[in-house]
Amino acid sequence: MSDMTVTRDLFDQVMVPNYAPSKVIPVRGQGARIWDQADNEYIDFAGGIAVNCLGHCHPALVSALKEQSEKLWHLSNVWTNEPALRLAKKMVDATFAEQVFFCNSGGEANEAAFKLARRYAIDHFGPEKTQIIAFKQGFHGRTFFTVTVGGQEAYSDGFGPKPGDIEHVPYNDLAALKAVMSDRTCAVVMEPLQGEGGIISPDADFVKAVRELCDQHNALLVFDEVQTGVGRTGALFAYMEMGVTPDILTSAKALGGGFPIGAMLTTAEIAASLKVGTHGSTYGGNPLACAVAEAAFDTVNTPEVLAGVTERETWYREGLAAINAKYDCFSEVRGKGLLLGCVLNEQFKGRARDFLMAAMDEQLMVLVAGANVVRFAPSLVITKEEVAEGLARFERAVARVVNG
Ligand SMILES: *Cc1c(COP(=O)(O)O)cnc(C)c1O
């Protein structure tokens, strides 16, 4: 099979048409650089959608993967394993949490979080307490429960009856939240910085006020840190710089540095509602994923790497400001750490994809977050040279769009 010739056309034949990938097929990567089948070199500002937190083929991750691959890959949860226990202990030591559930993706981590929140509320306050409140434009995954909690109906419509008792209110709108919240609310679910929804930060007092409302109504506060967690914003988790502690936190994406893994973190008191048999995952917490994630976690959770994120944010902000001074296409650059969004101004409204396509033509990988935001989520250890070269390519891409 390895001598089969593979082209992009094959995608349209043999893959379900739910994605529309670029014409380019990458074949290898190193740091923040990627090479395609024809050996063209790209700078990666996308990071596999905020996943490759240490770039491609980081030596610590390669070594953890190789080492574990010769020991033990998978057992199931009938047995526990050393990498899972070590990773859980490290995550617990580094956060508010006391216990961890491992799974394979962000969607699964949120599915576990929402099921736990429901179960906990029913256990402690009775069967009526099932309402989940989430935010418009929020994104929590693609399982039917998580996509329904997500705040874009376009993603959850068309699949028949949805899981019920889920309300959506605008992000940063405390009055709207107050209006729907009651003692029937079992959880408020939020991203501490909306990623897919357009790189939208919460107002300073908003998160604290949400925490207070949750306390008043005995509702759990669930932070979806699938995109913001593991160093992305310059803190290990974004909540750590917000003066607010959630009851349940979910992590994935950067957690495995590119190897699929997800985690749900919570207190022992809340976790007690997931008694034996109430939830599970065949692969969740497998030794291979946990060994890689442990290496990623150890590498990211250091003062140097975390401070380096904030330093790199400055490189981006300065470079983007200079580009914008020349071409005047962004109304603002927003976000935190290495989760940044260039918001297109009135003149370029709705054209984020054009910037992405122009960037590919200049051999630069970027992301969008909705139709109006060009998003960057690069490696947390991207070098100054890689940032400079990528921004030079981005400037050429911007020029292409602006000059038609
Ligand atoms: C990506 C993302 C998810 C979904 O993660 P998957 O691994 O794709 O299931 C959930 N929440 C947020 C905030 C995300 O950015």
Side-chain angles (χ1 to χ4, degrees):
M1 291 302 279
S2 58
D3 57 8
M4 183 196 281
T5 308
V6 170
T7 66
R8 173 62 178 74
D9 293 340
L10 192 55
F11 181 94
D12 299 325
Q13 285 173 41
V14 299
M15 303 290 266
V16 164
N18 63 318
Y19 303 121
S22 159
K23 297 290 165 205
V24 168
I25 302 185
V27 293
R28 68 192 166 89
Q30 191 64 57
R33 285 188 153 84
I34 280 183
W35 288 267
D36 70 8
Q37 290 175 311
D39 217 30
N40 298 307
E41 176 234 71
Y42 297 78
I43 299 274
D44 183 7
F45 281 1
I49 316 192
V51 167
N52 302 310
C53 59
L54 297 169
H56 299 277
C57 298
H58 188 282
L61 303 196
V62 171
S63 135
L65 181 73
K66 280 188 178 161
E67 202 179 298
Q68 188 61 39
S69 74
E70 291 174 351
K71 286 186 187 162
L72 190 64
W73 292 23
H74 174 79
L75 281 163
S76 88
N77 291 293
V78 179
W79 296 271
T80 190
N81 67 79
E82 292 180 353
L85 293 173
R86 283 200 306 264
L87 176 61
K89 175 76 169 96
K90 288 175 180 181
M91 294 187 82
V92 161
D93 285 349
T95 64
F96 76 96
E98 294 159 331
Q99 297 190 332
V100 181
F101 169 79
F102 287 124
C103 49
N104 312 290
S105 68
E108 281 177 73
N110 285 324
E111 184 81 21
F114 305 161
K115 284 179 71 180
L116 172 57
R118 283 267 178 88
R119 196 76 172 210
Y120 176 83
I122 292 167
D123 280 356
H124 292 265
F125 303 100
E128 302 299 313
K129 195 174 173 70
T130 52
Q131 183 199 45
I132 292 176
I133 303 176
F135 295 94
K136 293 192 170 142
Q137 308 306 128
F139 185 78
H140 303 296
R142 294 288 201 153
T143 68
F144 207 13
F145 194 1
T146 59
V147 82
T148 307
V149 173
Q152 288 203 56
E153 280 170 7
Y155 292 164
S156 55
D157 284 351
F159 298 99
K162 298 180 187 181
D165 213 4
I166 299 164
E167 294 284 339
H168 296 97
V169 298
Y171 201 64
N172 282 327
D173 188 339
L174 195 61
L177 178 61
K178 268 189 187 153
V180 293
M181 212 158 163
S182 73
D183 289 346
R184 272 192 63 270
T185 307
C186 85
V188 175
V189 176
M190 67 182 291
E191 294 162 85
L193 185 167
Q194 287 191 328
E196 302 301 312
I199 315 294
I200 300 163
S201 296
D203 297 338
D205 302 331
F206 181 67
V207 187
K208 283 186 185 142
V210 174
R211 174 74 271 179
E212 279 162 25
L213 278 176
C214 285
D215 292 341
Q216 274 169 35
H217 292 290
N218 290 314
L220 299 181
L221 178 58
V222 180
F223 266 20
D224 178 347
E225 292 230 28
V226 169
Q227 189 150 170
T228 53
V230 192
R232 180 60 50 196
T233 66
L236 181 63
F237 287 100
Y239 85 86
M240 294 174 171
E241 292 186 334
M242 297 185 140
V244 161
T245 303
D247 300 297
I248 301 178
L249 179 147
T250 54
S251 179
K253 290 202 166 108
L255 181 60
F259 200 96
I261 183 170
M264 178 193 71
L265 285 68
T266 188
T267 65
E269 197 254 331
I270 295 166
S273 284
L274 283 189
K275 295 178 187 63
V276 172
T278 50
H279 192 58
S281 160
T282 296
Y283 292 121
N286 74 79
L288 201 51
C290 290
V292 177
E294 185 191 5
F297 195 80
D298 284 345
T299 309
V300 171
N301 191 23
T302 58
E304 306 80 69
V305 170
L306 294 176
V309 171
T310 308
E311 189 187 6
R312 284 161 177 75
E313 176 182 0
T314 316
W315 302 344
Y316 274 95
R317 284 190 180 275
E318 285 171 2
L320 292 168
I323 292 171
N324 201 32
K326 269 197 204 164
Y327 296 97
D328 188 24
C329 42
F330 311 131
S331 58
E332 63 172 319
V333 175
R334 64 192 182 198
K336 192 153 194 276
L338 290 174
L339 185 54
L340 295 171
C342 302
V343 186
L344 300 178
N345 65 20
E346 234 3 83
Q347 199 190 338
F348 296 95
K349 210 173 157 91
R351 295 188 57 194
R353 266 208 91 75
D354 294 345
F355 286 81
L356 180 147
M357 303 293 269
M360 269 317 271
D361 291 339
E362 293 295 340
Q363 298 181 208
L364 172 71
M365 294 165 159
V366 303
L367 299 166
V368 300
N372 295 318
V373 178
V374 181
R375 172 173 40 157
F376 303 113
S379 159
L380 307 184
V381 295
I382 189 169
T383 66
K384 196 161 195 176
E385 184 272 326
E386 288 162 339
V387 174
E389 176 57 27
L391 285 173
R393 295 181 192 188
F394 190 59
E395 176 165 349
R396 293 199 291 273
V398 167
R400 272 185 198 240
V401 177
V402 170
N403 301 328

Short mmCIF file of all heavy atoms in Angstrom, two decimals, residues 69 93 128 166 222 229 320 332 343 346 380 382 384 386:
data_model
loop_
_atom_site.label_atom_id
_atom_site.label_comp_id
_atom_site.label_asym_id
_atom_site.label_seq_id
_atom_site.Cartn_x
_atom_site.Cartn_y
_atom_site.Cartn_z
N SER A 69 5.92 3.55 22.91
CA SER A 69 5.43 2.66 21.85
C SER A 69 6.10 1.29 21.92
O SER A 69 5.60 0.33 21.35
CB SER A 69 5.66 3.28 20.47
OG SER A 69 7.03 3.22 20.13
N ASP A 93 -1.99 18.55 40.56
CA ASP A 93 -1.06 19.40 41.32
C ASP A 93 -0.99 20.81 40.76
O ASP A 93 -0.73 21.76 41.49
CB ASP A 93 0.35 18.78 41.31
CG ASP A 93 0.45 17.58 42.24
OD1 ASP A 93 -0.50 17.36 43.03
OD2 ASP A 93 1.46 16.85 42.16
N GLU A 128 -35.40 17.98 38.76
CA GLU A 128 -35.79 19.16 37.98
C GLU A 128 -34.61 20.02 37.57
O GLU A 128 -34.73 20.90 36.71
CB GLU A 128 -36.76 20.04 38.81
CG GLU A 128 -38.01 19.34 39.28
CD GLU A 128 -38.84 18.85 38.10
OE1 GLU A 128 -39.05 19.64 37.15
OE2 GLU A 128 -39.25 17.67 38.12
N ILE A 166 -31.50 23.22 27.16
CA ILE A 166 -30.26 23.98 26.94
C ILE A 166 -30.66 25.38 26.45
O ILE A 166 -31.44 25.51 25.51
CB ILE A 166 -29.38 23.28 25.88
CG1 ILE A 166 -28.98 21.88 26.35
CG2 ILE A 166 -28.13 24.13 25.57
CD1 ILE A 166 -28.46 20.97 25.26
N VAL A 222 -18.75 25.54 34.33
CA VAL A 222 -17.91 24.68 33.50
C VAL A 222 -17.10 25.55 32.54
O VAL A 222 -17.67 26.31 31.76
CB VAL A 222 -18.77 23.68 32.68
CG1 VAL A 222 -17.87 22.79 31.81
CG2 VAL A 222 -19.65 22.85 33.59
N GLY A 229 -6.51 26.25 26.91
CA GLY A 229 -5.69 25.61 27.94
C GLY A 229 -4.30 25.20 27.50
O GLY A 229 -3.94 25.28 26.33
N LEU A 320 1.84 42.75 13.21
CA LEU A 320 0.51 42.94 12.62
C LEU A 320 0.13 44.42 12.58
O LEU A 320 -0.50 44.88 11.62
CB LEU A 320 -0.53 42.13 13.39
CG LEU A 320 -0.37 40.60 13.24
CD1 LEU A 320 -1.23 39.85 14.24
CD2 LEU A 320 -0.70 40.14 11.80
N GLU A 332 -9.14 45.65 14.50
CA GLU A 332 -8.38 45.40 15.73
C GLU A 332 -7.70 44.03 15.65
O GLU A 332 -8.08 43.19 14.83
CB GLU A 332 -9.28 45.46 16.98
CG GLU A 332 -10.35 44.39 17.01
CD GLU A 332 -11.13 44.32 18.33
OE1 GLU A 332 -10.53 44.44 19.41
OE2 GLU A 332 -12.35 44.12 18.26
N VAL A 343 -9.30 41.17 13.20
CA VAL A 343 -10.69 41.42 12.81
C VAL A 343 -10.71 42.31 11.58
O VAL A 343 -10.14 43.40 11.60
CB VAL A 343 -11.46 42.10 13.96
CG1 VAL A 343 -12.93 42.22 13.61
CG2 VAL A 343 -11.26 41.33 15.26
N GLU A 346 -14.58 47.15 7.95
CA GLU A 346 -15.78 47.23 7.11
C GLU A 346 -15.48 46.88 5.65
O GLU A 346 -16.20 46.11 5.02
CB GLU A 346 -16.31 48.66 7.18
CG GLU A 346 -17.75 48.89 7.59
CD GLU A 346 -18.60 47.70 7.99
OE1 GLU A 346 -18.54 47.24 9.15
OE2 GLU A 346 -19.37 47.23 7.12
N LEU A 380 3.70 27.28 20.65
CA LEU A 380 4.04 28.16 21.77
C LEU A 380 5.55 28.42 21.84
O LEU A 380 5.99 29.31 22.56
CB LEU A 380 3.57 27.55 23.10
CG LEU A 380 2.09 27.13 23.19
CD1 LEU A 380 1.77 26.64 24.60
CD2 LEU A 380 1.15 28.26 22.80
N ILE A 382 7.42 28.75 18.93
CA ILE A 382 7.84 29.20 17.59
C ILE A 382 8.99 30.20 17.75
O ILE A 382 9.01 31.00 18.69
CB ILE A 382 6.62 29.83 16.85
CG1 ILE A 382 6.97 30.12 15.38
CG2 ILE A 382 6.12 31.09 17.55
CD1 ILE A 382 5.73 30.47 14.53
N LYS A 384 11.74 33.30 16.82
CA LYS A 384 11.60 34.68 16.35
C LYS A 384 11.74 34.74 14.82
O LYS A 384 11.02 35.47 14.14
CB LYS A 384 12.67 35.56 17.00
CG LYS A 384 12.36 37.03 16.88
CD LYS A 384 13.12 37.87 17.87
CE LYS A 384 12.47 39.25 17.93
NZ LYS A 384 13.06 40.12 18.92
N GLU A 386 11.02 32.31 12.71
CA GLU A 386 9.82 31.74 12.08
C GLU A 386 8.66 32.75 12.10
O GLU A 386 7.90 32.86 11.13
CB GLU A 386 9.40 30.44 12.79
CG GLU A 386 10.35 29.27 12.51
CD GLU A 386 10.23 28.12 13.53
OE1 GLU A 386 9.72 28.33 14.66
OE2 GLU A 386 10.66 27.01 13.19
#
